[in-house]
Every structure is written in C-alpha cells, then in structure tokens.
Amino acid sequence: MIERIETGERSSKIVKYNGVAYLTGQVAEGDTIQDQVRTCLEKVDALLIKAGSSREKMLRVTVWLADMKDFAGLNEVWNDWVPTGHAPARACVESKLARAELKVEFAVDAAYE
C-alpha cells in the first residue's frame, strides 16, 4: 500500500511504499552554501523522523547545486551530518534551481520500519 504524508496540490512531503520513504526535495534560503545546506538537512531530519526513519537508514541522496563551485562548502556540512558508516549512495549535479537565491536542493530516499 502506498502512504502519502502531507499531500498538497503538486506533491507529498513523504511517500512511503514497500519499506522505502521518498522525501520531497528540500531547499532553504541563507547567505552561504553552508547555511542553506544546514537548513535543508534540518528539514530532512524532520521528514525522516515523520517517516519513521533516520539518517542511518538513508539509501540514496540526490543533491543539486546551482553552482559546482559550492561543492566543497556542501561537503563541509554534509560530512559532519552523515553518521559514520552510514553514508548513502549519493549523486551531486549542477542545475538551475527554482529561484535565483537557492544554492542547493536535496532529495532523499530512506528505508523505514
């Protein structure tokens, strides 16, 4: 059975199916890439909890950067956030994001119990 959590007109914050929670993309405003990454990951944490999951259960993360020059700043925050020994599969690409002030977006898939 498919479970949708916080469903709106265009998307659901979480879709759960067959042991996997698919989180909607997370963006945040902030002056620096580090500020935006920290805020995005705080939002991811909240959604993981709501889905009955955790950082340790992440399967795959897709990261979109507005500018690849921010890759080091992304990893500066990311490396401290991901639990040791529980790094998910990750893809990171450069992409034009929905608004000019956005520097990063995260989409996370995680197992749940």
Side-chain angles (χ1 to χ4, degrees):
M1 178 171 85
I2 298 172
E3 178 184 359
R4 299 175 198 283
I5 300 171
E6 293 189 39
T7 299
E9 181 180 357
R10 289 183 205 95
S11 67
S12 298
K13 296 276 183 176
I14 304 165
V15 175
K16 294 170 72 174
Y17 178 70
N18 202 25
V20 178
Y22 304 90
L23 310 184
T24 192
Q26 296 301 303
V27 297
E29 294 184 15
D31 293 332
T32 68
I33 185 65
Q34 292 90 344
D35 291 340
Q36 288 194 17
V37 170
R38 274 187 208 95
T39 303
C40 285
L41 295 178
E42 288 170 6
K43 292 171 149 184
V44 167
D45 275 332
L47 289 174
L48 287 169
I49 290 167
K50 189 172 276 197
S53 189
S54 67
R55 294 180 198 178
E56 291 80 7
K57 295 179 182 176
M58 291 186 300
L59 303 171
R60 179 176 55 185
V61 175
T62 304
V63 183
W64 294 273
L65 286 173
D67 191 326
M68 204 49 89
K69 73 176 184 190
D70 287 329
F71 188 72
L74 157 72
N75 285 327
E76 179 182 316
V77 178
W78 172 265
N79 292 343
D80 288 337
W81 183 80
V82 174
T84 302
H86 297 280
R90 187 181 98 168
C92 184
V93 298
E94 184 176 271
S95 177
K96 186 172 182 177
L97 300 179
R99 296 189 315 270
E101 65 273 15
L102 298 175
K103 298 176 183 299
V104 65
E105 182 169 352
F106 289 85
V108 176
D109 302 335
Y112 68 89
E113 310 234 352

